[in-house]
């Protein structure tokens, strides 16, 4: 089946620093990728939709200047948490529907655990 | 905006017991429905999905789900669970005219050997 990877799997950083998380589709192309945030014992909340070659679409309440998204190619999207603070600590998950699949199935990455001290 | 509710936060049962997890959604239009599973330390995997046709959907690992349109429900079932079914289960809904998935809060299932 299709595989989505994320790097790093976990990161610990100091407050005020920026952290970049990569999401790659390994064996398929994706013009769209989704970034979710998952709180403990909570659902996945969609943060933004990453679009290859154009600006990302952010959900209401998500600060676009804080969570920078770049969809550099058909297999790579990056999420940069700028000036991270402890409240940004969370589990970040990306997903990607294969190009042309009409979003009928999304393949999820393993997630990145971010801890901001 | 649509919402998805899962009735059980944590379910504990013994091997060979039957499992049913509730899922209800609020959206008036046509929807696509999904159940995902997240095993400990692993990424989300698709268990089964419903788009149209037979409302009883069979998925992987012996799971099935039934779409009841009048009740806005898509409950997940397995007749006899195994220890390896211990995982987090998420119901998700996508309006057929949209690309966004909305997830329920998840149900933790613990199967005791």
């Amino acid at each position: 089946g299709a595989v989505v990877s994320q790097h790093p799997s976990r990161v610990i950083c100091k407050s005020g620093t920026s952290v970049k998380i990569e999401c790659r589709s390994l064996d398929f192309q994706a013009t769209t990728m989704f970034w979710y945030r998952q709180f403990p014992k909570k659902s996945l909340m969609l943060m933004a939709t990453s679009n290859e070659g154009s600006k990302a679409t952010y959900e209401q309440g998500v600060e676009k200047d804080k969570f920078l998204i770049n969809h550099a190619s058909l297999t790579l999207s990056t999420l940069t948490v700028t000036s991270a603070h402890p409240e940004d600590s969370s589990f970040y998950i990306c997903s990607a529907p294969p190009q042309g699949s009409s979003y009928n199935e999304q393949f999820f990455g393993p997630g990145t655990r971010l801890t901001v001290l | 905006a649509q919402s998805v509710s899962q009735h059980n936060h944590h379910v504990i049962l013994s091997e060979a017991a039957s499992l049913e997890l509730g899922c209800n959604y609020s959206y008036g239009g046509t929807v696509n429905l999904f159940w995902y599973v997240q095993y400990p330390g692993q990424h989300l995997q698709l268990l089964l999905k419903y788009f149209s046709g037979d409302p009883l959907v069979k998925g992987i690992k012996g799971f099935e789900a039934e779409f009841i349109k009048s009740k806005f429900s898509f409950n997940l079932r397995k007749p006899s669970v195994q220890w390896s079914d211990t995982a987090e289960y998420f119901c998700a809904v996508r309006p057929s005219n949209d690309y966004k998935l909305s997830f329920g809060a998840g149900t933790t299932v613990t199967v005791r050997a």
Side-chain angles (χ1 to χ4, degrees):
Chain A
V3 178
V4 175
S5 70
Q6 282 184 242
H7 178 79
S9 58
R10 58 182 66 222
V11 56
I12 301 172
C13 69
K14 293 182 179 180
S15 185
T17 61
S18 295
V19 175
K20 180 186 285 188
I21 303 170
E22 292 184 348
C23 176
R24 292 182 185 273
S25 55
L26 297 185
D27 48 5
F28 66 96
Q29 294 183 329
T31 54
T32 302
M33 292 184 177
F34 300 97
W35 286 97
Y36 296 86
R37 184 171 176 175
Q38 185 179 26
F39 294 96
K41 301 191 183 303
K42 294 285 188 181
S43 175
L44 280 74
M45 302 299 297
L46 180 64
M47 298 175 63
T49 303
S50 172
N51 303 298
E52 190 269 336
S54 63
K55 292 183 179 180
T57 305
Y58 290 83
E59 295 302 299
Q60 192 172 12
V62 177
E63 299 176 59
K64 60 181 66 177
D65 293 332
K66 181 166 191 62
F67 298 100
L68 299 179
I69 290 173
N70 182 30
H71 199 135
S73 73
L74 288 172
T75 59
L76 173 63
S77 175
T78 60
L79 169 68
T80 301
V81 183
T82 63
S83 187
H85 291 285
E87 57 266 29
D88 298 324
S89 297
S90 193
F91 196 55
Y92 293 88
I93 301 174
C94 71
S95 74
Q99 189 176 19
S101 67
S102 301
Y103 308 105
N104 286 341
E105 185 164 352
Q106 294 185 26
F107 295 95
F108 288 81
T112 296
R113 173 78 59 194
L114 171 63
T115 303
V116 185
L117 303 177
Chain B
Q2 65 274 13
S3 66
V4 184
S5 62
Q6 292 183 236
H7 312 306
N8 311 98
H9 178 64
H10 192 180
V11 173
I12 303 172
L13 58 168
S14 300
E15 276 193 311
S18 63
L19 172 70
E20 179 159 0
L21 302 181
C23 173
N24 285 88
Y25 65 94
S26 64
Y27 182 74
T30 304
V31 294
N32 301 139
L33 300 157
F34 307 82
W35 274 98
Y36 287 88
V37 61
Q38 188 174 28
Y39 297 104
Q42 297 189 26
H43 59 274
L44 278 162
Q45 301 173 39
L46 182 67
L47 265 182
L48 47 77
K49 59 189 176 186
Y50 172 80
F51 291 159
S52 64
D54 189 344
L56 185 62
V57 180
K58 294 193 182 299
I60 61 172
K61 306 188 180 188
F63 285 92
E64 64 179 31
E66 184 175 13
F67 170 51
I68 303 180
K69 188 176 181 179
S70 61
K71 295 185 178 180
F72 297 89
S73 69
F74 190 55
N75 293 353
L76 180 72
R77 297 194 292 255
K78 184 170 184 177
S80 177
V81 296
Q82 300 173 314
W83 176 81
S84 57
D85 292 322
T86 294
E88 189 86 16
Y89 292 82
F90 293 94
C91 179
V93 175
R94 180 174 70 84
S96 59
N97 61 353
D98 198 355
Y99 58 86
K100 299 179 186 178
L101 270 177
S102 294
F103 284 85
T107 299
T108 302
V109 173
T110 301
V111 180
R112 292 179 171 161

